[in-house]
Amino acid sequence: MQRRDVLRLSAVAGATGALTLGTVTFARGEERDVGGQETRKVTGHLPTGAPDFVYLPVEVPRGVREIAVSYTYDKPAVPPGTQGNACDIGIFDERGTDLGGRGFRGWSGGFRTEFAISAEEATPAYLAGPIRPGIWHVVLGPYTVAPQGMNYEVTITLRYGEPGRTPKPVYPPQRARGRGRAWYRGDCHLHTVHSDGRRTPAEVAAAARAAGLDFITTTEHNTSSGHGAWDGLWGDDLLILAGEEVTTRNGHVVALGTDAGTFIDWRYRARDNAFGRFSRKIREAGGLVVPAHPHATCVGCNWKFGLNAADAVEVWNGPYTPDDEVTIAEWDNTLVATVRAGSRGSVGVPAGEPGEGGGRRWLPAMGNSDAHREPQVVGHPQTVVLADDLSRSAILEGIRAGRSWIAESSSLNLSFSAAGGRGRHAGIGERLMVDRDEEVTVRLEVSGAAPGCSARFITDQGLLYSTELPASGPGTVEWRTTPQYAAYVRAEIRHRPAGGGTSGLPGAMAALTNPIFLGRE
């Protein structure tokens, strides 16, 4: 049976811009073929400027063993500079589509054209579980719509039979052996076949070990289905954390280190004033709020929700590009803001809470690969975290506190510290408690940097010191200052600029530290 659908406006989901279609019905009781299947097709047209989400209600009768959905849409030619058609898909069960509700059963974005769900199993990106009777909703997400509009077709197949049992998911343990208090390397933004990645979890785990990583985080787009896909892949040498890349139309945020099985809704824009609610949900699930690639150039990737609710920010995403340069400059401005009159970068204050004198806690930086497929390199870049042990709680605390730095690979290592009189010293993410006019020695030790790299010290005034590192072997750089002259100092290791530096632009980043704050608060 095929139906041409008529759209009507709806408030379904409580999210920004939604439409709902007419309900798709199937045979009931004696009308259906027990042990067989039934299929319905729905076609329709969405105009330019369509709402973010279009819901197709499906009345699921009793006795359904599996629901299978496929879809297609046209991709007409468009004028240069104009976005063409792109449409995502997902599904909610009989518990409803309320924003943040319990009905979510999966979302594959635009990566898959079909999926199936049963009690025993589900297509990656979807959640296995009972097919209970009631109104389910297939959800279309017309990401961009061509000037001609979008013609779509959705096919729903119900297969009848005994429901089967849902296996209990096996989640990674929250601790690995580790080395006690040490620096641990990790990549906290990764994708597999459970969203739009091409690698399997096994391939990602192997790549992480090859990259010299101690921990990784699984962060699929708008789904938690990958949390239970790592059975047997962790070990004493590799900690695997759960998370999600919450992919809204106004930017992406990594929910980092949440309780396994946690789903964070994505169906809102900045204008809906809903992000505060979901940032709190991330923290309630034990995770960190980390805006991802805030200045990326893809549609919907620019971060529009502000940084007040963030625990850290991803300033370096994948191979170093100009948008990373912009993000680092923006992040550095937030450091300057924390050291204005009344607050000098409160250390140890939870994110979003006032520091001394009414200022805000400073925002740590991190870097991740966002690797999806070959030849994208897992661990390029990586965040190196000082943690008490290799556990979920210790790693997250190290990131939250800013005791971390970013490296392009595990071959590069550094030590960064500041020292004052009477044996006082501080490391990355800490404060050196000295008087405003007391001399401070800043020291950077680097090994494994590529030939031609330079070391740079950045303060609230900007770049105050730069020197080239040795062409081979380790290098040590020292610089003297006072808290009055530099409220904080952070280090960068840069490659030689392209074209010999004639453009005046700095070279690509090789490593970047979080700051050391100087002086009393």
Side-chain angles (χ1 to χ4, degrees):
M1 180 183 294
Q2 183 163 326
R3 187 187 77 201
R4 179 73 177 177
D5 226 313
V6 178
L7 306 184
R8 68 177 183 273
L9 223 63
S10 172
V12 169
T16 186
L19 285 171
T20 187
L21 310 178
T23 301
V24 178
T25 60
F26 287 81
R28 301 179 184 179
E30 297 179 356
E31 300 174 23
R32 68 171 182 257
D33 179 10
V34 178
Q37 67 179 42
E38 289 184 281
T39 297
R40 301 286 187 270
K41 291 183 183 291
V42 176
T43 62
H45 177 84
L46 296 175
T48 302
D52 290 351
F53 303 103
V54 176
Y55 293 87
L56 174 58
V58 179
E59 186 176 1
V60 176
R62 295 184 183 279
V64 174
R65 176 180 59 83
E66 181 180 76
I67 181 169
V69 178
S70 63
Y71 80 122
T72 61
Y73 59 91
D74 67 335
K75 297 181 180 180
V78 297
T82 303
Q83 295 292 337
N85 284 338
C87 188
D88 299 341
I89 196 167
I91 194 168
F92 290 78
D93 66 20
E94 86 292 344
R95 290 171 292 184
T97 61
D98 288 347
L99 191 63
R102 301 176 60 197
F104 176 78
R105 293 296 291 270
W107 176 262
S108 50
F111 187 62
R112 298 184 183 277
T113 59
E114 59 185 13
F115 62 86
I117 301 173
S118 69
E120 299 98 332
E121 60 184 355
T123 302
Y126 293 84
L127 306 179
I131 309 299
R132 291 179 288 263
I135 302 298
W136 289 50
H137 288 84
V138 175
V139 54
L140 299 177
Y143 214 73
T144 55
V145 180
Q148 303 94 318
M150 178 188 296
N151 296 315
Y152 65 87
E153 179 181 277
V154 180
T155 302
I156 307 106
T157 298
L158 301 185
R159 299 187 176 103
Y160 298 96
E162 293 299 319
R165 293 185 177 182
T166 303
K168 184 177 180 180
V170 179
Y171 295 132
Q174 298 192 29
R175 181 182 298 274
R177 178 177 293 173
R179 304 180 295 278
R181 186 172 175 83
W183 291 94
Y184 294 100
R185 295 175 180 266
D187 190 343
C188 293
H189 187 169
L190 291 163
H191 297 278
T192 73
V193 293
H194 281 265
S195 60
D196 60 343
R198 295 286 185 180
R199 292 183 174 107
T200 64
E203 290 169 333
V204 170
R209 288 184 167 96
L213 301 183
D214 301 295
F215 66 93
I216 59 175
T217 307
T218 171
T219 56
E220 309 296 0
H221 293 283
N222 301 339
T223 186
S224 57
S225 77
H227 294 179
W230 300 84
D231 190 11
L233 299 177
W234 58 80
D236 290 342
D237 62 331
L238 185 64
L239 176 71
I240 301 175
L241 306 179
E244 178 184 335
E245 184 173 8
V246 185
T247 306
T248 81
R249 299 297 181 91
N250 285 163
H252 303 183
V253 61
V254 171
L256 197 168
T258 52
D259 296 334
T262 298
F263 162 68
I264 304 298
D265 213 322
W266 78 101
R267 295 170 295 156
Y268 44 84
R269 296 196 188 199
R271 66 193 183 205
D272 299 315
N273 198 28
F275 180 65
R277 170 185 169 188
F278 290 100
S279 65
R280 288 190 295 272
K281 183 173 179 180
I282 292 170
R283 293 197 188 92
E284 288 167 0
L288 302 181
V289 178
V290 184
H293 46 64
H295 292 280
T297 56
C298 48
V299 174
C301 292
N302 281 190
W303 184 246
K304 304 295 187 182
F305 296 91
L307 297 174
N308 286 343
D311 295 299
V313 60
E314 185 185 76
V315 302
W316 182 356
N317 175 278
Y320 199 75
T321 58
D323 56 274
D324 298 314
E325 193 75 43
V326 172
T327 301
I328 289 171
E330 179 184 52
W331 165 68
D332 191 77
N333 288 342
T334 71
L335 300 180
V336 174
T338 64
V339 297
R340 290 175 183 156
S343 176
R344 296 182 60 81
S346 298
V347 176
V349 179
E353 295 185 9
E356 296 291 332
R360 303 193 72 82
R361 182 197 184 276
W362 69 280
L363 185 65
M366 65 183 308
N368 303 297
S369 73
D370 196 7
H372 287 67
R373 60 187 68 85
E374 298 293 345
Q376 296 170 357
V377 179
V378 173
H380 178 60
Q382 56 196 248
T383 299
V384 190
V385 183
L386 179 60
D388 289 336
D389 54 38
L390 186 52
S391 67
R392 172 192 174 197
S393 59
I395 292 295
L396 295 185
E397 175 53 32
I399 295 172
R400 183 188 294 109
R403 297 192 303 267
S404 60
W405 56 280
I406 309 168
E408 65 180 354
S409 75
S410 59
S411 65
L412 196 154
N413 204 2
L414 63 77
S415 173
F416 185 52
S417 62
R422 305 177 188 174
R424 288 171 292 195
H425 66 276
I428 298 169
E430 298 177 339
R431 173 175 292 280
L432 183 64
M433 300 295 286
V434 295
D435 293 333
R436 288 173 58 82
D437 58 354
E438 184 174 333
E439 185 175 84
V440 171
T441 299
V442 179
R443 181 181 177 89
L444 174 68
E445 300 177 35
V446 182
S447 62
C453 281
S454 62
R456 295 154 47 101
F457 291 157
I458 314 295
T459 77
D460 56 310
Q461 293 190 71
L463 174 63
L464 288 185
Y465 184 74
S466 178
T467 186
E468 191 165 313
L469 293 170
S472 62
T476 300
V477 179
E478 287 192 352
W479 178 63
R480 289 174 174 80
T481 186
T482 65
Q484 184 169 272
Y485 188 58
Y488 66 83
V489 59
R490 59 180 183 84
E492 294 180 353
I493 309 299
R494 297 269 189 166
H495 289 282
R496 182 180 290 119
T502 56
S503 68
L505 297 175
M509 197 72 71
L512 165 75
T513 75
N514 274 304
I516 301 172
F517 291 91
L518 306 179
R520 305 180 192 279
E521 293 185 85

